[in-house]
Amino acid sequence: MSKRYVTIWFPHLKADWFAQRTPDLKTGAFVIAAPDRGRMMITAVNKEANQLGIFPGTVVADARAIYPGIAVVDDLHGLAEKILKKFGLFCIRLTPVVATDQPDGLILD
């Protein structure tokens, strides 16, 4: 008997979470950033920022050069893991095995 798995990918997981909690972020481009070696690195972007050519791993200063009006939100450590865990706990009602696929996915049996 073969097994089948479903993989769910949330490309804008943290950005969508922040947009739900902050109404000002629902429209327009914004990025989520965290300090790394003395500079602010982008850890996640929303769809609008992605369409402007701004991607995770970019320095915030470079993103501001691409789009000066971009909003920057401070990243919360462990946020993606907490969100995926909550999604996984919900999905366990529907399937026998659920695993997180870090940083932004779930695997369902």
Side-chain angles (χ1 to χ4, degrees):
M1 185 166 121
S2 64
K3 288 200 171 226
R4 293 185 183 187
Y5 296 95
V6 174
T7 303
I8 304 171
W9 175 48
F10 304 99
H12 305 290
L13 179 70
K14 288 196 278 187
D16 290 342
W17 186 87
F18 275 105
Q20 287 294 323
R21 279 148 185 80
T22 311
D24 297 340
L25 298 177
K26 287 190 179 186
T27 58
F30 76 93
V31 298
I32 302 162
D36 181 40
R37 299 182 191 163
R39 57 189 179 171
M40 292 296 285
M41 295 292 291
I42 296 173
T43 58
V45 299
N46 70 342
K47 185 177 178 180
E48 290 81 5
N50 205 342
Q51 290 173 346
L52 291 170
I54 301 169
F55 303 99
T58 306
V59 179
V60 171
D62 293 342
R64 285 191 173 136
I66 294 170
Y67 185 70
I70 196 154
V72 179
V73 179
D74 290 332
D75 197 359
L76 300 174
H77 181 69
L79 177 63
E81 293 82 13
K82 290 177 188 176
I83 297 169
L84 287 175
K85 184 177 178 181
K86 285 185 179 183
F87 281 162
L89 289 173
F90 176 80
C91 290
I92 201 73
R93 301 175 196 175
L94 310 171
T95 183
V97 178
V98 177
T100 60
D101 184 21
Q102 299 295 333
D104 51 12
L106 286 176
I107 301 172
L108 309 174
D109 182 6

XYZ file of all heavy atoms in Angstrom:
846
model
N 0.849 -1.180 0.000
C 0.000 0.000 0.000
C 0.892 1.241 0.000
O 1.788 1.377 0.817
C -0.885 -0.025 1.238
C -1.877 1.077 1.266
S -3.127 0.749 2.505
C -2.917 2.175 3.503
N 0.649 2.125 -0.920
C 1.453 3.342 -0.993
C 0.851 4.424 -0.106
O -0.347 4.443 0.164
C 1.531 3.834 -2.433
O 0.257 4.195 -2.882
N 1.715 5.299 0.342
C 1.258 6.419 1.176
C 1.229 7.686 0.336
O 2.024 7.857 -0.576
C 2.198 6.613 2.368
C 2.077 5.540 3.392
C 2.647 6.054 4.691
C 2.319 5.061 5.761
N 1.822 5.664 6.943
N 0.352 8.573 0.734
C 0.267 9.873 0.078
C 0.438 10.952 1.128
O -0.079 10.833 2.235
C -1.079 10.057 -0.614
C -1.271 9.131 -1.765
C -2.544 9.443 -2.473
N -2.719 8.479 -3.549
C -3.670 8.560 -4.430
N -4.536 9.531 -4.378
N -3.779 7.661 -5.372
N 1.139 11.987 0.752
C 1.371 13.108 1.646
C 0.926 14.393 0.967
O 1.012 14.525 -0.243
C 2.850 13.226 2.020
C 3.357 12.037 2.795
C 3.985 10.985 2.144
C 3.191 11.968 4.170
C 4.441 9.891 2.853
C 3.643 10.879 4.887
C 4.270 9.837 4.215
O 4.708 8.757 4.923
N 0.487 15.321 1.772
C 0.123 16.650 1.283
C 1.079 17.637 1.924
O 1.276 17.619 3.142
C -1.337 17.014 1.653
C -1.651 18.438 1.268
C -2.295 16.050 1.005
N 1.672 18.471 1.118
C 2.539 19.520 1.621
C 1.858 20.853 1.379
O 1.438 21.149 0.259
C 3.901 19.504 0.898
O 4.484 18.218 1.066
C 4.817 20.554 1.464
N 1.731 21.626 2.439
C 1.117 22.952 2.341
C 2.199 23.985 2.601
O 2.876 23.939 3.639
C -0.034 23.122 3.350
C -1.075 22.021 3.168
C -0.669 24.498 3.205
C -2.122 21.990 4.243
N 2.355 24.907 1.669
C 3.375 25.940 1.776
C 2.690 27.282 1.961
O 1.759 27.623 1.225
C 4.232 25.944 0.515
C 5.248 27.018 0.438
C 6.146 27.392 1.404
C 5.508 27.869 -0.680
N 6.940 28.410 0.950
C 6.575 28.724 -0.335
C 4.953 27.990 -1.944
C 7.086 29.685 -1.194
C 5.473 28.933 -2.799
C 6.525 29.769 -2.419
N 3.133 28.033 2.956
C 2.609 29.370 3.231
C 3.707 30.379 2.907
O 4.519 30.711 3.768
C 2.202 29.490 4.703
C 1.204 28.464 5.144
C 1.610 27.329 5.833
C -0.146 28.631 4.879
C 0.692 26.378 6.247
C -1.071 27.689 5.284
C -0.651 26.554 5.971
N 3.770 30.891 1.670
C 4.892 31.744 1.277
C 4.976 33.073 2.030
O 6.047 33.646 2.145
C 4.666 31.973 -0.218
C 3.221 31.722 -0.440
C 2.813 30.713 0.584
N 3.853 33.550 2.557
C 3.838 34.829 3.276
C 3.267 34.636 4.675
O 2.459 35.444 5.154
C 3.019 35.859 2.499
C 3.487 36.048 1.091
N 4.673 36.653 0.780
C 2.938 35.680 -0.096
C 4.837 36.661 -0.529
N 3.792 36.070 -1.085
N 3.690 33.591 5.351
C 3.130 33.204 6.637
C 3.211 34.321 7.675
O 2.204 34.760 8.220
C 3.846 31.949 7.153
C 3.391 31.412 8.503
C 1.991 30.829 8.381
C 4.356 30.342 8.999
N 4.416 34.809 7.954
C 4.569 35.849 8.982
C 3.968 37.172 8.538
O 3.370 37.885 9.339
C 6.041 36.033 9.336
C 6.601 34.879 10.129
C 7.910 35.227 10.800
C 9.075 35.101 9.891
N 10.366 35.286 10.573
N 4.096 37.497 7.269
C 3.534 38.757 6.772
C 2.011 38.762 6.901
O 1.421 39.770 7.316
C 3.955 38.978 5.329
N 1.386 37.645 6.585
C -0.071 37.563 6.724
C -0.482 37.664 8.193
O -1.490 38.291 8.515
C -0.593 36.265 6.122
C -0.497 36.237 4.606
O -0.357 37.319 4.003
O -0.548 35.137 4.033
N 0.300 37.075 9.086
C 0.000 37.140 10.520
C 0.053 38.592 11.007
O -0.834 39.050 11.711
C 0.991 36.276 11.295
C 0.688 36.153 12.749
C -0.135 35.242 13.347
C 1.200 36.973 13.808
N -0.163 35.443 14.711
C 0.661 36.505 15.023
C 2.068 38.047 13.850
C 0.951 37.083 16.250
C 2.364 38.623 15.077
C 1.804 38.136 16.251
N 1.102 39.320 10.613
C 1.220 40.725 11.014
C 0.106 41.569 10.396
O -0.427 42.468 11.044
C 2.589 41.297 10.619
C 3.671 41.034 11.609
C 4.637 40.073 11.366
C 3.732 41.738 12.796
C 5.636 39.820 12.282
C 4.735 41.496 13.726
C 5.697 40.530 13.468
N -0.254 41.298 9.149
C -1.303 42.069 8.481
C -2.655 41.868 9.153
O -3.458 42.806 9.225
C -1.381 41.691 7.007
N -2.922 40.679 9.647
C -4.185 40.415 10.343
C -4.285 41.193 11.652
O -5.363 41.573 12.078
C -4.332 38.919 10.641
C -4.642 38.096 9.425
C -6.004 38.409 8.855
O -6.962 38.660 9.573
N -6.098 38.411 7.539
N -3.163 41.419 12.305
C -3.164 42.073 13.608
C -2.943 43.577 13.553
O -3.184 44.275 14.528
C -2.112 41.431 14.503
C -2.662 40.159 15.105
C -1.628 39.108 15.326
N -2.231 37.872 15.791
C -2.816 36.989 15.012
N -2.918 37.200 13.724
N -3.326 35.875 15.513
N -2.478 44.081 12.423
C -2.236 45.512 12.261
C -2.943 45.980 10.997
O -2.440 45.762 9.889
C -0.717 45.794 12.156
O -0.036 45.131 13.222
C -0.440 47.277 12.212
N -4.095 46.611 11.115
C -4.874 47.008 9.929
C -4.108 47.915 8.960
O -4.363 47.873 7.757
C -6.076 47.739 10.525
C -6.190 47.245 11.918
C -4.789 46.927 12.358
N -3.180 48.732 9.451
C -2.426 49.621 8.568
C -1.567 48.851 7.572
O -1.206 49.375 6.518
C -1.525 50.548 9.387
C -2.325 51.478 10.287
O -3.519 51.678 10.021
O -1.744 51.996 11.259
N -1.217 47.609 7.887
C -0.336 46.819 7.032
C -1.091 46.033 5.963
O -0.469 45.400 5.117
C 0.492 45.846 7.882
C 1.438 46.475 8.892
C 2.119 45.388 9.710
C 2.476 47.348 8.199
N -2.410 46.082 5.980
C -3.184 45.295 5.011
C -3.024 45.815 3.590
O -3.180 45.065 2.634
C -4.652 45.260 5.403
C -4.897 44.365 6.592
C -6.349 44.139 6.837
C -6.491 43.205 8.034
N -7.860 42.811 8.262
N -2.737 47.093 3.450
C -2.508 47.650 2.123
C -1.093 48.194 2.062
O -0.588 48.771 3.020
C -3.504 48.786 1.821
O -3.367 49.801 2.810
C -4.934 48.271 1.827
N -0.453 48.014 0.946
C 0.898 48.513 0.763
C 1.956 47.473 1.098
O 1.696 46.448 1.708
N 3.165 47.784 0.668
C 4.291 46.865 0.857
C 4.896 47.025 2.245
O 5.047 48.131 2.747
C 5.350 47.129 -0.200
N 5.231 45.892 2.874
C 5.972 45.927 4.132
C 6.846 44.699 4.247
O 6.622 43.686 3.576
C 5.038 46.063 5.342
C 4.297 44.818 5.730
C 4.801 43.948 6.676
C 3.065 44.531 5.160
C 4.106 42.812 7.031
C 2.360 43.406 5.518
C 2.887 42.531 6.454
N 7.869 44.834 5.063
C 8.803 43.733 5.300
C 8.943 43.515 6.796
O 8.660 44.399 7.596
C 10.189 44.011 4.678
C 10.088 44.147 3.175
C 10.839 45.242 5.281
N 9.381 42.337 7.152
C 9.664 41.992 8.538
C 11.166 41.788 8.626
O 11.748 41.070 7.813
C 8.901 40.717 8.937
C 7.401 40.953 8.733
C 9.204 40.338 10.377
C 6.591 39.709 8.681
N 11.799 42.446 9.610
C 13.252 42.428 9.682
C 13.743 42.142 11.095
O 13.052 42.417 12.074
C 13.813 43.769 9.207
N 14.959 41.598 11.155
C 15.611 41.298 12.429
C 17.085 41.697 12.320
O 17.663 41.642 11.227
C 15.494 39.815 12.752
N 17.702 42.097 13.437
C 19.114 42.463 13.386
C 20.000 41.244 13.114
O 19.743 40.150 13.617
C 19.386 43.053 14.768
C 18.286 42.579 15.637
C 17.126 42.271 14.763
N 21.035 41.461 12.284
C 21.979 40.404 11.963
C 23.328 41.036 11.663
O 23.466 41.740 10.662
C 21.481 39.600 10.763
C 22.414 38.464 10.395
O 22.940 37.815 11.317
O 22.607 38.229 9.188
N 24.287 40.822 12.550
C 25.650 41.344 12.375
C 25.688 42.852 12.145
O 26.348 43.349 11.244
C 26.340 40.619 11.231
C 26.477 39.146 11.475
C 27.197 38.469 10.352
N 27.082 37.042 10.506
C 27.320 36.179 9.559
N 27.695 36.599 8.366
N 27.194 34.900 9.772
N 24.935 43.569 12.932
C 24.986 45.019 12.875
C 24.131 45.666 11.806
O 24.229 46.877 11.589
N 23.331 44.915 11.132
C 22.440 45.491 10.128
C 21.101 44.782 10.203
O 20.973 43.684 10.737
C 23.034 45.376 8.728
C 23.346 43.966 8.346
C 24.126 43.897 7.072
N 24.405 42.495 6.770
C 24.923 42.084 5.659
N 25.232 42.936 4.718
N 25.144 40.811 5.460
N 20.082 45.390 9.652
C 18.738 44.816 9.667
C 18.542 44.006 8.386
O 18.619 44.540 7.284
C 17.683 45.914 9.766
C 17.678 46.656 11.089
S 17.258 45.614 12.477
C 15.504 45.427 12.250
N 18.273 42.719 8.576
C 18.040 41.816 7.448
C 16.554 41.475 7.369
O 15.907 41.252 8.392
C 18.830 40.521 7.618
C 20.329 40.703 7.574
S 20.945 41.195 5.965
C 20.659 39.725 5.029
N 16.046 41.406 6.177
C 14.647 41.073 5.965
C 14.468 39.563 6.123
O 15.165 38.775 5.486
C 14.180 41.535 4.576
C 14.257 43.065 4.499
C 12.779 41.032 4.272
C 13.977 43.631 3.135
N 13.522 39.190 6.991
C 13.236 37.771 7.222
C 11.967 37.319 6.511
O 11.812 36.127 6.258
C 13.104 37.483 8.726
O 12.074 38.305 9.272
C 14.412 37.767 9.454
N 11.069 38.245 6.203
C 9.830 37.898 5.498
C 9.288 39.146 4.804
O 9.560 40.275 5.232
C 8.789 37.357 6.472
N 8.544 38.933 3.742
C 7.935 40.037 2.987
C 6.480 39.699 2.692
O 6.092 38.536 2.694
C 8.680 40.296 1.653
C 10.120 40.674 1.899
C 8.607 39.091 0.734
N 5.686 40.730 2.434
C 4.322 40.460 1.986
C 4.311 40.403 0.457
O 5.330 40.611 -0.201
C 3.337 41.485 2.548
C 3.494 42.862 1.958
O 4.515 43.192 1.364
N 2.485 43.681 2.124
N 3.153 40.095 -0.098
C 3.039 39.896 -1.546
C 3.429 41.149 -2.323
O 4.112 41.074 -3.342
C 1.608 39.475 -1.883
C 1.398 39.125 -3.316
C -0.024 38.655 -3.548
C -0.252 38.337 -5.001
N -1.619 37.870 -5.242
N 3.000 42.314 -1.841
C 3.298 43.564 -2.542
C 4.798 43.848 -2.585
O 5.336 44.266 -3.607
C 2.554 44.739 -1.895
C 1.056 44.713 -2.098
C 0.328 43.788 -1.126
O 0.975 43.229 -0.216
O -0.886 43.613 -1.295
N 5.485 43.623 -1.471
C 6.940 43.831 -1.431
C 7.642 42.840 -2.347
O 8.618 43.183 -3.026
C 7.458 43.708 -0.009
N 7.143 41.626 -2.380
C 7.721 40.607 -3.252
C 7.597 41.007 -4.717
O 8.514 40.812 -5.505
C 7.015 39.277 -2.995
C 7.850 38.089 -3.350
O 8.816 38.186 -4.087
N 7.475 36.951 -2.831
N 6.471 41.591 -5.090
C 6.264 42.028 -6.466
C 7.161 43.205 -6.834
O 7.447 43.417 -8.010
C 4.796 42.380 -6.690
C 3.890 41.179 -6.670
C 2.413 41.537 -6.720
O 2.033 42.682 -6.509
N 1.585 40.546 -6.996
N 7.616 43.962 -5.832
C 8.530 45.073 -6.079
C 9.978 44.604 -6.233
O 10.850 45.394 -6.543
C 8.456 46.086 -4.927
C 7.160 46.881 -4.821
C 7.124 47.651 -3.508
C 7.028 47.825 -6.008
N 10.224 43.325 -6.008
C 11.576 42.790 -6.134
C 12.334 42.739 -4.825
O 13.558 42.670 -4.822
N 11.623 42.768 -3.711
C 12.240 42.693 -2.385
C 11.974 41.295 -1.842
O 10.837 40.834 -1.813
C 11.668 43.766 -1.451
C 11.916 45.150 -2.062
C 12.276 43.665 -0.062
C 11.168 46.272 -1.383
N 13.043 40.619 -1.408
C 12.947 39.230 -0.986
C 13.584 39.032 0.386
O 14.419 39.841 0.804
C 13.648 38.320 -2.004
C 13.104 38.463 -3.394
C 13.753 39.251 -4.333
C 11.932 37.833 -3.756
C 13.257 39.389 -5.611
C 11.416 37.972 -5.039
C 12.081 38.744 -5.962
N 13.215 37.963 1.102
C 13.895 37.655 2.366
C 15.394 37.475 2.129
O 15.817 36.933 1.109
C 13.250 36.338 2.807
C 11.908 36.347 2.167
C 12.109 37.033 0.840
N 16.179 37.950 3.080
C 17.634 37.896 2.955
C 18.240 39.200 2.464
O 19.454 39.367 2.459
N 17.398 40.131 2.047
C 17.859 41.442 1.598
C 18.075 42.339 2.812
O 17.385 42.238 3.808
C 16.799 42.083 0.672
O 16.488 41.183 -0.374
C 17.275 43.396 0.093
N 19.025 43.243 2.718
C 19.259 44.226 3.772
C 18.175 45.302 3.665
O 17.784 45.698 2.558
C 20.662 44.849 3.623
C 20.927 45.884 4.697
C 21.727 43.762 3.659
N 17.687 45.786 4.803
C 16.608 46.776 4.818
C 17.017 48.040 4.060
O 16.207 48.635 3.343
C 16.178 47.103 6.266
C 15.225 48.277 6.293
C 15.525 45.891 6.909
N 18.268 48.452 4.182
C 18.733 49.649 3.472
C 18.599 49.474 1.954
O 18.230 50.416 1.243
C 20.184 49.949 3.844
N 18.871 48.275 1.446
C 18.710 48.012 0.012
C 17.236 48.022 -0.382
O 16.878 48.490 -1.453
C 19.339 46.669 -0.358
C 20.846 46.661 -0.205
O 21.450 47.765 -0.154
O 21.422 45.560 -0.114
N 16.385 47.503 0.485
C 14.945 47.514 0.205
C 14.416 48.942 0.163
O 13.566 49.265 -0.671
C 14.204 46.708 1.269
N 14.930 49.782 1.046
C 14.504 51.191 1.033
C 15.021 51.914 -0.203
O 14.403 52.879 -0.657
C 14.969 51.887 2.305
C 14.128 51.483 3.500
C 14.401 52.352 4.695
N 13.453 52.026 5.752
C 13.781 51.880 7.024
N 15.033 52.053 7.407
N 12.864 51.587 7.917
N 16.129 51.457 -0.764
C 16.620 52.044 -2.010
C 15.703 51.656 -3.173
O 15.480 52.448 -4.088
C 18.045 51.580 -2.284
N 15.157 50.443 -3.128
C 14.246 49.994 -4.169
C 12.895 50.690 -4.040
O 12.316 51.145 -5.023
C 14.055 48.456 -4.093
C 15.374 47.756 -4.423
C 12.947 47.984 -5.027
C 15.372 46.270 -4.142
N 12.398 50.768 -2.802
C 11.089 51.375 -2.538
C 11.178 52.172 -1.240
O 11.067 51.597 -0.149
C 10.017 50.276 -2.441
C 8.618 50.799 -2.284
C 7.976 51.438 -3.329
C 7.934 50.641 -1.088
C 6.689 51.913 -3.192
C 6.640 51.111 -0.941
C 6.027 51.746 -1.998
O 4.750 52.222 -1.857
N 11.390 53.485 -1.338
C 11.616 54.307 -0.133
C 10.466 54.303 0.878
O 10.688 54.470 2.069
C 11.827 55.716 -0.695
C 12.235 55.517 -2.107
C 11.556 54.269 -2.556
N 9.240 54.073 0.453
C 8.107 54.134 1.367
C 7.759 52.817 2.036
O 6.687 52.690 2.624
N 8.654 51.862 1.992
C 8.333 50.540 2.534
C 8.280 50.570 4.059
O 9.079 51.233 4.707
C 9.335 49.479 2.041
C 8.771 48.091 2.272
C 10.681 49.625 2.703
C 9.313 47.058 1.344
N 7.296 49.895 4.625
C 7.168 49.805 6.082
C 8.003 48.623 6.580
O 8.050 47.576 5.937
C 5.710 49.610 6.464
N 8.649 48.816 7.722
C 9.488 47.773 8.305
C 8.943 47.427 9.686
O 8.723 48.300 10.513
C 10.961 48.237 8.421
C 11.814 47.145 9.052
C 11.507 48.644 7.063
N 8.708 46.132 9.915
C 8.176 45.634 11.174
C 9.245 44.752 11.821
O 9.904 43.975 11.130
C 6.892 44.810 10.933
C 6.344 44.262 12.226
C 5.857 45.645 10.214
N 9.413 44.872 13.140
C 10.377 44.035 13.849
C 9.880 42.604 13.933
O 8.720 42.346 14.254
C 10.618 44.561 15.267
C 11.386 45.877 15.266
O 12.158 46.105 14.312
O 11.217 46.658 16.211
N 10.772 41.675 13.643
C 10.437 40.257 13.680
C 10.318 39.770 15.119
O 10.996 40.266 16.015
C 11.533 39.456 12.970
C 11.099 38.058 12.606
O 9.956 37.690 12.908
O 11.919 37.336 12.008
N 9.443 38.824 15.325
C 9.275 38.183 16.628
C 9.932 36.808 16.558
O 9.558 35.985 15.713
C 7.793 38.047 16.987
C 7.004 39.344 17.079
C 5.528 39.053 17.294
C 7.538 40.202 18.208
N 10.891 36.545 17.435
C 11.637 35.292 17.416
C 10.701 34.101 17.655
O 9.910 34.103 18.594
C 12.729 35.318 18.484
C 13.548 34.077 18.508
N 14.405 33.746 17.491
C 13.603 33.063 19.409
C 14.966 32.592 17.768
N 14.494 32.156 18.937
N 10.775 33.102 16.790
C 9.977 31.894 16.947
C 8.534 32.012 16.491
O 7.744 31.099 16.727
N 8.180 33.096 15.837
C 6.789 33.311 15.428
C 6.320 32.254 14.434
O 5.245 31.678 14.600
C 6.615 34.707 14.831
C 5.224 35.033 14.293
C 4.207 35.005 15.427
C 5.220 36.379 13.603
N 7.105 31.979 13.406
C 6.692 31.014 12.385
C 6.471 29.630 12.995
O 5.507 28.941 12.655
C 7.729 30.938 11.268
N 7.338 29.239 13.912
C 7.196 27.934 14.557
C 5.895 27.855 15.358
O 5.195 26.842 15.335
C 8.388 27.647 15.471
C 9.697 27.452 14.736
C 10.395 28.756 14.367
O 10.003 29.832 14.883
O 11.303 28.710 13.534
N 5.561 28.937 16.060
C 4.325 28.958 16.851
C 3.089 28.881 15.957
O 2.136 28.160 16.259
C 4.272 30.218 17.705
C 5.268 30.238 18.835
C 5.201 31.542 19.593
C 6.325 31.638 20.609
N 6.333 32.937 21.300
N 3.114 29.621 14.856
C 1.977 29.610 13.935
C 1.802 28.224 13.320
O 0.696 27.680 13.268
C 2.156 30.678 12.836
C 2.178 32.083 13.434
C 1.043 30.561 11.803
C 2.605 33.144 12.445
N 2.901 27.632 12.860
C 2.824 26.305 12.249
C 2.366 25.256 13.255
O 1.625 24.326 12.902
C 4.174 25.912 11.649
C 4.568 26.646 10.374
C 5.971 26.247 9.963
C 3.589 26.360 9.257
N 2.794 25.394 14.492
C 2.373 24.438 15.515
C 0.858 24.520 15.727
O 0.179 23.496 15.835
C 3.103 24.700 16.822
C 2.783 23.695 17.888
C 3.579 23.933 19.142
C 3.188 22.920 20.211
N 3.919 23.124 21.454
N 0.317 25.748 15.751
C -1.131 25.904 15.910
C -1.885 25.323 14.718
O -2.904 24.655 14.875
C -1.495 27.370 16.100
C -1.154 27.884 17.478
C -1.633 29.296 17.669
C -1.286 29.769 19.062
N -1.784 31.117 19.324
N -1.383 25.570 13.507
C -2.000 24.977 12.320
C -1.937 23.453 12.394
O -2.890 22.764 12.062
C -1.309 25.448 11.043
C -1.699 26.817 10.576
C -0.890 27.494 9.686
C -2.863 27.427 10.991
C -1.233 28.753 9.233
C -3.214 28.687 10.550
C -2.397 29.349 9.664
N -0.788 22.932 12.808
C -0.613 21.492 12.919
C -1.551 20.872 13.934
O -2.119 19.800 13.700
N -1.723 21.537 15.073
C -2.644 21.029 16.089
C -4.088 21.008 15.574
O -4.862 20.116 15.914
C -2.543 21.856 17.363
C -1.252 21.657 18.159
C -1.175 22.654 19.314
C -1.136 20.241 18.663
N -4.440 21.978 14.753
C -5.768 21.965 14.144
C -5.886 20.816 13.144
O -6.890 20.101 13.115
C -6.069 23.295 13.461
C -7.384 23.300 12.746
C -8.560 23.483 13.446
C -7.446 23.084 11.380
C -9.781 23.466 12.785
C -8.658 23.059 10.718
C -9.834 23.251 11.431
N -4.860 20.625 12.321
C -4.901 19.608 11.263
C -4.858 18.188 11.804
O -5.278 17.254 11.116
C -3.752 19.826 10.284
S -3.944 21.295 9.274
N -4.360 17.986 13.009
C -4.279 16.635 13.570
C -5.677 16.036 13.748
O -5.836 14.818 13.836
C -3.472 16.625 14.885
C -2.956 15.216 15.197
C -4.292 17.130 16.043
C -1.851 14.772 14.326
N -6.692 16.872 13.756
C -8.073 16.380 13.818
C -8.481 15.694 12.515
O -9.403 14.896 12.485
C -9.038 17.548 14.051
C -8.786 18.321 15.296
C -9.715 19.510 15.351
N -9.242 20.470 16.325
C -9.781 21.636 16.518
N -10.819 22.010 15.816
N -9.291 22.459 17.421
N -7.787 16.037 11.431
C -8.186 15.577 10.109
C -7.327 14.445 9.557
O -7.736 13.769 8.616
C -8.131 16.755 9.128
C -8.847 18.033 9.585
C -8.534 19.172 8.654
C -10.338 17.784 9.669
N -6.144 14.260 10.108
C -5.199 13.283 9.581
C -4.364 12.707 10.727
O -4.174 13.385 11.742
C -4.298 13.945 8.512
O -3.434 12.965 7.952
C -3.497 15.078 9.074
N -3.870 11.495 10.597
C -3.141 10.890 11.723
C -1.753 11.473 11.981
O -1.272 11.443 13.106
C -3.040 9.421 11.334
C -3.204 9.381 9.865
C -4.069 10.552 9.512
N -1.100 11.992 10.952
C 0.261 12.491 11.125
C 0.378 13.881 10.515
O 0.002 14.102 9.361
C 1.291 11.552 10.451
C 2.696 12.107 10.604
C 1.200 10.155 11.026
N 0.925 14.803 11.307
C 1.200 16.164 10.840
C 2.619 16.513 11.265
O 3.013 16.263 12.392
C 0.218 17.187 11.451
C 0.568 18.600 11.010
C -1.203 16.859 11.076
N 3.374 17.094 10.346
C 4.738 17.538 10.658
C 4.929 18.938 10.128
O 4.358 19.316 9.087
C 5.761 16.598 10.028
N 5.732 19.723 10.840
C 6.055 21.060 10.342
C 7.248 20.957 9.407
O 8.158 20.168 9.624
C 6.369 22.034 11.491
O 7.473 21.543 12.233
C 5.165 22.217 12.391
N 7.214 21.740 8.376
C 8.302 21.820 7.404
C 8.828 23.235 7.476
O 8.338 24.128 6.787
C 7.774 21.474 6.021
C 8.864 21.428 4.955
O 10.039 21.274 5.339
O 8.530 21.527 3.767
N 9.800 23.451 8.358
C 10.303 24.797 8.631
C 10.918 25.401 7.376
O 11.514 24.688 6.587
C 11.342 24.753 9.755
C 10.815 24.245 11.066
C 9.761 25.129 11.679
O 9.728 26.322 11.454
N 8.866 24.530 12.441
N 10.791 26.664 7.130
C 10.258 27.687 7.995
C 8.797 28.025 7.744
O 8.194 28.761 8.518
C 11.119 28.897 7.665
C 11.415 28.747 6.224
C 11.519 27.243 5.994
N 8.181 27.468 6.678
C 6.826 27.944 6.360
C 5.947 26.883 5.691
O 5.263 27.170 4.724
C 6.896 29.191 5.495
C 7.801 29.010 4.290
O 8.196 27.875 4.002
O 8.109 30.011 3.635
N 5.952 25.667 6.226
C 5.139 24.640 5.606
C 4.685 23.567 6.579
O 5.189 23.441 7.684
N 3.700 22.796 6.139
C 3.183 21.643 6.878
C 3.181 20.434 5.946
O 2.985 20.562 4.735
C 1.743 21.880 7.342
C 1.500 22.831 8.492
C 0.000 22.983 8.711
C 2.155 22.337 9.752
N 3.390 19.255 6.538
C 3.283 18.001 5.803
C 2.220 17.175 6.488
O 2.296 16.932 7.696
C 4.627 17.251 5.776
C 5.697 18.119 5.115
C 4.474 15.923 5.039
C 7.090 17.532 5.208
N 1.225 16.751 5.725
C 0.113 15.955 6.258
C 0.136 14.568 5.646
O 0.392 14.421 4.446
C -1.223 16.632 5.942
C -1.369 18.116 6.301
C -2.696 18.638 5.792
C -1.227 18.324 7.771
N -0.159 13.553 6.462
C -0.230 12.177 5.970
C -1.608 11.943 5.394
O -2.607 12.231 5.970
C 0.028 11.214 7.120
C 0.019 9.774 6.680
O -0.078 9.530 5.470
O 0.127 8.903 7.539
